[in-house]
Amino acid sequence: MRALAFLAACGLYLAAQPVHAQTQDMCALMARNPGWAEAVRSASLTWKVSPGTILTVIDQESRFRATAKGAGAVDANSLRNFGFAQANLRTWNWFLRDTGRTSGSRSNFALSADFVGWHFTTMEARTGVPRSQFVSHYLIYKMGEGGFRRGAPPQARSLASTLAVRAKFHDRKLWDCGFGADGDDGDEGSDATPN
């Protein structure tokens, strides 16, 4: 009985903790996945959104799992959130049309990285919130533009603030390990460092 009470207390403690990143070492993750690294560089340069921002959103949304499914999603054809970026099908199709693509899978890492950058940039144009303001843009990403305009609950704002700190941490580490050294993403990222 005592053991059950201890386990229950541990469970409550763990449930109250902030969401932990799948990895704190994005440099190692990029080194193991050179295709992902190139995709993040490209998306960062194209959309002027920092690499740490892109990776933090994907980590939070799917833990880097290509076939991660949101609540109610059955497969890649679901309208529900699916894939690396946990994009819903309607917004994903908007992204494909807006970027001149005729098709593309939500389980494709390069497209997902591009989607995150596109989303931040598109929502900046629609809301007037600079894409460098990570907290606001993550709330728009999670709640939709209308939900964001209605106001975020304190728990969502707290999570977004935690993720903003994580994105800055990842940007610093990526810069330190030379991730931006062979391109200009270090300079571009300075304009897009998450707040």
Side-chain angles (χ1 to χ4, degrees):
M1 195 58 117
R2 211 175 207 182
L4 288 175
F6 174 75
L7 290 174
C10 286
L12 290 174
Y13 171 76
L14 292 174
Q17 298 307 303
V19 178
H20 293 287
Q22 183 222 14
T23 181
Q24 290 297 318
D25 193 349
M26 291 298 175
C27 292
L29 183 69
M30 295 295 96
R32 284 192 311 268
N33 299 282
W36 288 10
E38 185 51 40
V40 171
R41 277 189 187 98
S42 177
S44 178
L45 287 169
T46 299
W47 302 108
K48 310 290 189 272
V49 173
S50 77
T53 292
I54 293 167
L55 290 166
T56 298
V57 170
I58 291 174
D59 186 19
Q60 177 64 26
E61 294 304 300
S62 68
R63 297 294 185 257
F64 297 103
R65 291 177 316 197
T67 57
K69 298 174 183 75
V74 177
D75 59 25
N77 296 319
S78 172
L79 293 174
R80 305 282 182 162
N81 297 352
F82 181 82
F84 283 112
Q86 286 296 286
N88 69 53
L89 194 54
R90 182 181 305 149
T91 308
W92 184 260
N93 286 333
W94 175 19
F95 157 71
L96 293 176
R97 282 189 312 274
D98 206 36
T99 57
R101 296 175 171 101
T102 56
S103 65
S105 171
R106 291 180 283 173
S107 60
N108 177 299
F109 184 86
L111 285 178
S112 296
D114 208 38
F115 174 83
V116 173
W118 168 86
H119 197 282
F120 274 56
T121 301
T122 299
M123 290 301 120
E124 177 185 60
R126 290 175 64 88
T127 64
V129 176
R131 74 192 94 169
S132 61
Q133 292 184 7
F134 183 97
V135 171
S136 294
H137 275 277
Y138 185 73
L139 292 171
I140 295 167
Y141 193 91
K142 286 304 287 181
M143 301 171 56
E145 186 181 349
F148 172 75
R149 289 182 191 282
R150 287 189 292 278
Q155 304 91 324
R157 191 162 283 287
S158 176
L159 172 61
S161 295
T162 299
L163 294 177
V165 171
R166 190 173 297 154
K168 282 187 176 187
F169 171 80
H170 291 323
D171 278 328
R172 280 192 302 273
K173 291 296 183 183
L174 287 164
W175 182 257
D176 288 348
C177 73
F179 182 78
D182 54 359
D184 289 333
D185 26 319
D187 294 333
E188 297 297 342
S190 66
D191 292 339
T193 302
N195 290 334

